[in-house]
Amino acid sequence: MEIPNLGFGTYQMDDRDECVRAIELAMETGYEHVDTAQMYDNEAFVAAGLDESGIDRDEVFVATKLDTDNLAYDDVKRTAKESAEKLGTDTIDLLYVHWPINTYDPAETLPALDELVEEGVIERVGLSNFRPDQLEDAIEHLDEPLYAHQVEMHPMLPQEELHELAVEHDHQLVAYCPIARGQVADVPEIQAVAEKHDGTPAQVSLAWLMGKENVTAIPKAASPDHIRENFAARDLELDDEDREKIDGIETRERIVDFDEAPWNNA
């Protein structure tokens, strides 16, 4: 199964009942891609939600991420297997390096990921939050093809260089915070496109992302209305004029940022 271009994010869903209910509803709505992480401490909840939904596990693409303290060779191997057990699967569809910080070492971390593919613990290798130069370096270290790179991406942070690299190297660029945690609703250009299509700013932002080559969006939502609203973005078709209007947005806003982030230590 290849990665669908719309997924369901589970960041901060650390309450079991909330997470299980949200996953059940997401599966009922039609999502086929769920994104979690060791850092979220909810992999077992995601598994429970998938089980409760009754969906065939072969019909859902499940991705998780290695914590930044688990990137040494032995820790990668050990904790990936622990994640697979928590997720209730023999093989994880996609495993990311969550951040290239703390214990990340390309000479140790990446060969461990290659071996996990060989052993059948994971199906595909992903990276997350890498600078362009770090991404190129990682691709050189990997024997397995890079399948996906996950980064913050939305109309106020369009990630042009990383998108060009995704197309060049033929991997998926997976957009987290795709509606900028609701901030797209305050952008006049997005408001105008939403009114034109009788949609919402969140749907416009998601449609703009999904319409790009090699891009997947993974909005997080807990309420039934937002879960369904985000999924309905798949039916919103933007025209060239809409895309030009959104591409012309000059505001730049990064939602996820901290001193140790890779882009602050180039």
Side-chain angles (χ1 to χ4, degrees), residues 93-111:
D93 293 302
L94 173 61
L95 180 67
Y96 296 95
V97 173
H98 204 154
W99 293 88
I101 59 175
N102 293 357
T103 58
Y104 175 71
D105 179 348
E108 278 206 22
T109 307
L110 303 176

Side-chain angles (χ1 to χ4, degrees), residues 126-247:
L127 305 173
S128 184
N129 297 302
F130 279 52
R131 296 191 311 262
D133 61 305
Q134 293 174 313
L135 187 74
E136 296 271 25
D137 180 66
I139 290 171
E140 289 296 317
H141 277 85
L142 282 166
D143 290 332
E144 291 293 326
L146 176 63
Y147 186 79
H149 182 210
Q150 185 174 138
V151 295
E152 178 182 344
M153 185 178 179
H154 45 74
M156 291 87 80
L157 191 66
Q159 300 284 19
E160 289 101 336
E161 186 176 3
L162 290 175
H163 184 232
E164 289 174 5
L165 287 173
V167 174
E168 176 186 342
H169 292 291
D170 195 25
H171 60 258
Q172 204 72 4
L173 193 60
V174 179
Y176 71 77
C177 289
I179 59 175
R181 294 187 181 164
Q183 292 186 29
V184 294
D186 299 324
V187 180
E189 294 89 341
I190 296 176
Q191 291 172 346
V193 174
E195 290 173 8
K196 171 182 171 181
H197 291 279
D198 194 24
T200 67
Q203 289 173 333
V204 168
S205 185
L206 293 171
W208 174 78
L209 286 164
M210 289 188 286
K212 291 180 176 290
E213 185 178 3
N214 287 49
V215 173
T216 288
I218 51 167
K220 176 250 178 155
S223 75
D225 286 347
H226 287 153
I227 289 171
R228 296 187 181 105
E229 174 189 333
N230 291 343
F231 192 75
R234 301 196 320 163
D235 299 324
L236 197 162
E237 296 185 11
L238 302 181
D239 58 32
D240 290 343
E241 181 183 9
D242 300 328
R243 293 193 167 278
E244 288 175 9
K245 188 183 293 287
I246 297 169
D247 290 340

Side-chain angles (χ1 to χ4, degrees), residues 18 22-23 53 87 93 125 129 140 155 162 176 182 198 222 251 261 265:
E18 178 195 45
I23 294 291
S53 75
L87 289 166
D93 293 302
V125 172
N129 297 302
E140 289 296 317
L162 290 175
Y176 71 77
D198 194 24
T251 302
N265 295 278

